[in-house]
Amino acid sequence: MKTALAGGDVEGAVSSFTEASQSSFRTNFAVLFPYLPQLVSGMGDIQIVNLIDRIAECDMQLINDGITYSFQVLFIQEPNGKWAIRSF
């Protein structure tokens, strides 16, 4: 997702999300398009906080203007075995 966003590939980034979440994130990324490279450059690695069955609760930190923000990233393992982002 981060690589796709850094390259301006919104559709590539959206493919990392669950089907139910893709439309809203597509819209959000389109609005933020001019700022995506700057936002992505401040994103840290995703760290697993909790893993239960097919749900992984993770944390991703973003540094913007010297301020660190923490975001929950929720992954769901889909029936085909692929892990996809549900929300962040």
Side-chain angles (χ1 to χ4, degrees):
M1 175 196 72
K2 289 173 22 177
T3 301
L5 288 176
D9 181 6
V10 171
E11 287 304 313
V14 167
S15 71
S16 298
F17 289 81
T18 62
E19 191 172 318
S21 301
Q22 288 180 358
S23 179
S24 62
F25 279 96
R26 183 179 290 110
T27 300
N28 291 339
F29 292 150
V31 169
L32 294 170
F33 189 80
Y35 310 100
L36 290 177
Q38 178 185 357
L39 289 172
V40 172
S41 71
M43 288 181 180
D45 292 333
I46 295 173
Q47 305 294 322
I48 296 173
V49 174
N50 197 13
L51 179 62
I52 299 174
D53 296 323
R54 297 165 32 130
I55 301 171
E57 179 185 346
C58 302
D59 178 68
M60 179 183 63
Q61 294 188 349
L62 171 99
I63 300 171
N64 189 15
D65 291 331
I67 300 171
T68 301
Y69 300 90
S70 183
F71 296 92
Q72 180 188 56
V73 183
L74 190 63
F75 286 86
I76 305 291
Q77 188 176 28
E78 297 181 325
N80 65 5
K82 174 187 169 194
W83 285 91
I85 301 169
R86 170 79 185 263
S87 63
F88 84 92

